[in-house]
Amino acid sequence: MTTAHHARPESAKQQWAGGLMMFGAVMLMIGGVLDIFRGIMGIAQNNVFVTTPNYVFQFNLSGWGWVHLILGAVAVVVSLGLFQGAMWARVGGVVIAGLIIIANFLSLPYYPVWSIVAIAISGFVIWALCVVRPEESAGYR
């Protein structure tokens, strides 16, 4: 006679929480990879970006490339933690997505469409990571 091990069925709230965490992790991973590519473009060739002569936040484009490369790499690492359901990654995901929003806002004149897309992706990440309550996602971890 064999015994069957029955897993406790997840509630709809736990499934919703797990789905949002996955959504946040995937979107943060995508945003991080896109930021890595943007950083490489800024470091390798400054002439890829359009420069605005009288912009208040005027920086060296190679410097912007390094900022985006570092933010993208950290975002990818944090998203890997989110796939594991770690609470530190959830907090880190909100922080890094906020920093990505700020960096993309400051670089709007250099690459406006790309910056708006990155801001929108990061906004979705923050929403997905903040809307889930820890007690709802307990089954996810």
Side-chain angles (χ1 to χ4, degrees):
M1 189 172 244
T2 62
T3 59
H5 179 67
H6 296 288
R8 187 180 77 192
E10 289 187 359
S11 70
K13 283 186 176 184
Q14 288 173 337
Q15 290 176 350
W16 175 253
L20 282 177
M21 290 285 287
M22 277 295 144
F23 174 78
V26 169
M27 293 302 285
L28 189 62
M29 176 73 75
I30 291 169
V33 169
L34 291 177
D35 244 13
I36 288 171
F37 288 145
R38 184 176 185 183
I40 291 170
M41 288 186 324
I43 294 167
Q45 286 193 323
N46 283 358
N47 57 4
V48 172
F49 296 94
V50 177
T51 59
T52 304
N54 296 324
Y55 186 51
V56 175
F57 304 108
Q58 199 168 23
F59 298 103
N60 179 356
L61 291 178
S62 292
W64 272 121
W66 282 106
V67 167
H68 286 288
L69 182 67
I70 292 167
L71 284 174
V74 172
V76 168
V77 170
V78 169
S79 69
L80 293 173
L82 282 172
F83 284 121
Q84 300 299 316
M87 185 58 141
W88 66 266
R90 197 168 151 196
V91 172
V94 171
V95 170
I96 197 70
L99 291 174
I100 289 173
I101 287 175
I102 292 168
N104 282 291
F105 174 76
L106 293 176
S107 64
L108 265 170
Y110 303 116
Y111 222 62
V113 175
W114 190 261
S115 294
I116 291 170
V117 168
I119 288 170
I121 289 173
S122 297
F124 282 125
V125 168
I126 291 172
W127 171 78
L129 298 179
C130 288
V131 76
V132 178
R133 290 187 215 123
E135 64 271 7
E136 289 178 0
S137 62
Y140 173 69
R141 285 185 232 152

